[in-house]
Amino acid sequence: MEKEKIPYKIYLEESEMPTAWYNVRADMKKKPAPLLNPGTGKPLTAAELSHVFCDELVAQELNDTDRYIPIPQEIRDFYKMYRPSPLVRAYCLEQKMGTPAKIYYKFEGNNTSGSHKLNSAIAQAYYAKKQGLVGVTTETGAGQWGTALSMACSYFGLDCKVYMVKVSYEQKPFRREVMRTYGASVTPSPSMETEVGRRINKEFPGTNGSLGCAISEAVEAATTREGYRYVLGSVLSQVLLHQSVIGLETKAALDKYGIKPDVIIGCAGGGSNLGGLISPFMGEKLRGEADYRFVAVEPASCPSLTRGRYVYDFCDTGKVCPLAKMYTLGSGFMPSPNHAGGLRYHGMSSILSELYDEGLMEAVSVGQTDVFAAAEYFARVEGILPAPESAHAIKVAMDEAEKCRLTGEEKTIVFGLTGTGYFDMVAYQKFHDGQMTDYVPTDEEIAKSLASAPQI
Ligand SMILES: *Cc1c(COP(=O)(O)O)cnc(C)c1O
């Protein structure tokens, strides 16, 4: 197809937006391993999970069989405020790089939370409201998830308690204030408000906190309060389900112009945006209808897929959460303090872990200075200032496009541009000032942190 025919931005009509989420587990021959009760080592039942999560979300978490799950009208109406998100043809980037590759990105940064996380936050808040709950608790690292959830909770009139990793709480005051603008209460973690927070503070005095530790606190806060449940912004299968809206829209937009991607690339922290983006395409691959390459991109400083082990592990530092089988670096793993690019969770979605283990998806890790160099290059040619997380995908998409320049291949590359980086300017500053380093954990460090995984 000629250049004029494919617009810079492919938008869908409201009427073309998905009306059901796609559940890739339904098409997986080998299902992701079940969550286990850390006490008994047995698969968790819906009744056990319902102490932590809303009933409807428990049902979605355990649903390995229904291919499509209808999106309630209220959620679809909220989606319409900022969706469909554009699929952008990166003509400027292609031209600047001199590559024959055709590059597309799905841009999820067009809402105040600045990322794709709102897609799941609104769904989780909706089900909490429907169940008649008072509020929800959660953790947030860099702050995107907390922001998305506070927006969703204010929309449905729910209380929102956010435990924010202490170092981010101190370094990202603006994120914190956005959450408070939407009515959330924000507590630095580890705090002295919870049993587990007090224990972690005692064991590691002066700790900066971690995502795993904030999760433990948020779970405790939910399970010890009447009318509260815990919600999580990534990793869980229900979150990947909600994020399938990204992939469904991408596929609908590509189909409109008869475009078939060769490779689909996404950054992977807990795996939700990547899982959501690739799901419908992976479904075709699983059913033998089409073939695609899928690439997960992770930071070299937190390389769960490329250097972790596929075992049952705790989802949180405090070891209060269910056990999940996933590629993990060990629940005590903490990326080096100078790691600035996000994606710092020690584990990975069990859906993506299983797909990767079966060789259906590839994974690569990239160093953070290369990531920021790609982010800056992209910002200058495509105009969007990317989140550092998103820039991991940009970096590998550009690497693929460069290979095409060398070989002359006209591959079609699609990647997920998950969000904007306005709250990450301290990290950009470090990069500009030449103060950013690439710390990569040693095999010994990873082995040491993996030793804490339960023997199952
Ligand atoms: C949270 C976040 C990610 C990583 O989370 P996943 O669950 O792996 O998608 C990536 N990009 C942005 C902008 C984020 O906020």
Side-chain angles (χ1 to χ4, degrees):
M1 205 172 281
E2 286 138 46
K3 180 167 172 166
E4 305 74 74
K5 295 220 177 115
I6 296 173
Y8 274 70
K9 287 200 182 92
I10 307 180
Y11 280 107
L12 298 174
E13 302 294 331
E14 257 176 41
S15 59
E16 294 170 303
M17 286 173 67
T19 55
W21 292 300
Y22 168 66
N23 181 10
V24 71
R25 287 168 287 170
D27 283 310
M28 291 170 69
K29 278 175 208 86
K30 195 166 162 220
K31 308 295 180 195
L35 295 171
L36 301 185
N37 180 323
T40 63
K42 297 225 164 68
L44 277 159
T45 62
E48 288 172 307
L49 279 170
S50 69
H51 298 297
V52 184
F53 301 122
C54 309
D55 297 345
E56 191 60 37
L57 294 169
V58 170
Q60 293 180 2
E61 193 61 34
L62 299 177
N63 189 335
D64 281 349
T65 47
D66 292 329
R67 195 172 275 161
Y68 288 99
I69 295 176
I71 307 175
Q73 189 62 48
E74 290 90 333
I75 299 175
R76 283 160 59 192
D77 289 344
F78 185 88
Y79 278 168
K80 283 177 201 160
M81 285 197 272
Y82 68 100
R83 309 199 69 82
S85 70
L87 181 72
V88 184
R89 172 72 184 268
Y91 283 121
C92 299
L93 180 63
E94 291 168 19
Q95 200 175 23
K96 179 87 177 175
M97 290 187 71
T99 176
K102 299 175 177 67
I103 309 173
Y104 296 85
Y105 57 89
K106 179 73 167 163
F107 181 48
E108 291 291 320
N110 269 336
N111 68 79
T112 295
S113 82
S115 81
H116 64 288
K117 293 203 171 69
L118 194 54
N119 301 332
S120 183
I122 194 64
Q124 298 195 44
Y126 168 79
Y127 291 116
K129 185 68 186 177
K130 208 175 134 211
Q131 195 173 322
L133 298 178
V134 181
V136 292
T137 70
T138 198
E139 78 295 331
T140 198
Q144 291 100 319
W145 168 245
T147 309
L149 188 69
S150 60
M151 291 174 72
C153 284
S154 76
Y155 184 74
F156 284 122
L158 283 168
D159 186 35
C160 180
K161 290 194 188 307
V162 180
Y163 290 85
M164 185 171 188
V165 178
K166 193 182 271 169
V167 57
S168 305
Y169 182 91
E170 283 156 7
Q171 286 178 359
K172 299 196 166 182
F174 295 152
R175 270 277 181 220
R176 189 175 79 210
E177 291 315 313
V178 178
M179 288 184 253
R180 293 177 66 201
T181 300
Y182 284 96
S185 74
V186 188
T187 308
S189 165
S191 74
M192 298 302 279
E193 277 179 12
T194 63
E195 202 68 53
V196 59
R198 287 189 288 272
R199 194 177 75 205
I200 292 170
N201 267 317
K202 197 167 155 206
E203 218 172 304
F204 308 98
T207 173
N208 278 327
S210 72
L211 215 45
C213 162
I215 295 176
S216 308
E217 286 209 272
V219 171
E220 182 184 322
T223 50
T224 53
R225 261 190 195 83
E226 192 69 34
Y228 282 77
R229 291 291 186 282
Y230 168 69
V231 294
L232 182 59
S234 183
V235 187
L236 295 174
S237 299
Q238 57 183 277
V239 183
L240 268 72
L241 174 73
H242 305 147
Q243 295 297 356
S244 70
V245 67
I246 304 172
L248 291 164
E249 282 183 10
T250 302
K251 189 155 188 328
L254 291 172
D255 284 349
K256 252 185 163 174
Y257 290 88
I259 304 159
K260 191 182 164 292
D262 294 295
V263 53
I264 305 177
I265 300 165
C267 63
S272 74
N273 87 83
L274 176 65
L277 173 65
I278 69 174
S279 274
F281 301 94
M282 182 62 84
E284 289 188 306
K285 181 163 174 155
L286 289 165
R287 297 190 301 270
E289 296 164 7
D291 197 16
Y292 305 98
R293 274 181 67 210
F294 303 104
V295 185
V297 189
E298 56 186 16
S301 51
C302 193
S304 49
L305 285 170
T306 49
R307 293 179 65 201
R309 275 175 54 208
Y310 191 32
V311 291
Y312 267 104
D313 196 9
F314 296 99
C315 295
D316 62 326
T317 317
K319 304 183 178 180
V320 298
C321 285
L323 298 173
K325 188 173 178 198
M326 56 185 177
Y327 275 86
T328 177
L329 296 164
S331 62
F333 184 83
M334 303 224 183
S336 139
N338 70 26
H339 169 71
L343 311 172
R344 30 174 69 240
Y345 187 61
H346 67 272
M348 184 57 62
S349 137
S350 27
I351 295 177
L352 291 187
S353 292
E354 180 56 34
L355 293 168
Y356 176 64
D357 200 57
E358 290 179 35
L360 292 159
M361 182 182 84
E362 305 161 30
V364 292
S365 73
V366 288
Q368 66 173 346
T369 48
D370 289 344
V371 166
F372 277 83
E376 191 176 81
Y377 189 98
F378 183 84
R380 290 178 187 183
V381 285
E382 286 289 322
I384 295 173
L385 180 82
E389 291 91 343
S390 321
H392 287 73
I394 297 174
K395 162 72 183 141
V396 173
M398 285 174 57
D399 287 349
E400 289 287 331
E402 173 61 11
K403 277 188 228 157
C404 290
R405 189 183 68 81
L406 297 173
T407 61
E409 281 176 291
E410 294 184 22
K411 280 191 186 157
T412 297
I413 300 167
V414 172
F415 73 90
L417 189 70
T418 49
T420 46
Y422 304 119
F423 290 108
D424 300 287
M425 297 325 287
V426 173
Y428 273 90
Q429 182 186 6
K430 277 200 187 121
F431 173 69
H432 295 142
D433 291 345
Q435 286 167 0
M436 185 169 274
T437 53
D438 289 306
Y439 184 79
V440 178
T442 63
D443 290 342
E444 290 71 31
E445 282 171 290
I446 292 177
K448 188 167 166 236
S449 113
L450 269 171
S452 70
Q455 303 299 314
I456 291 180

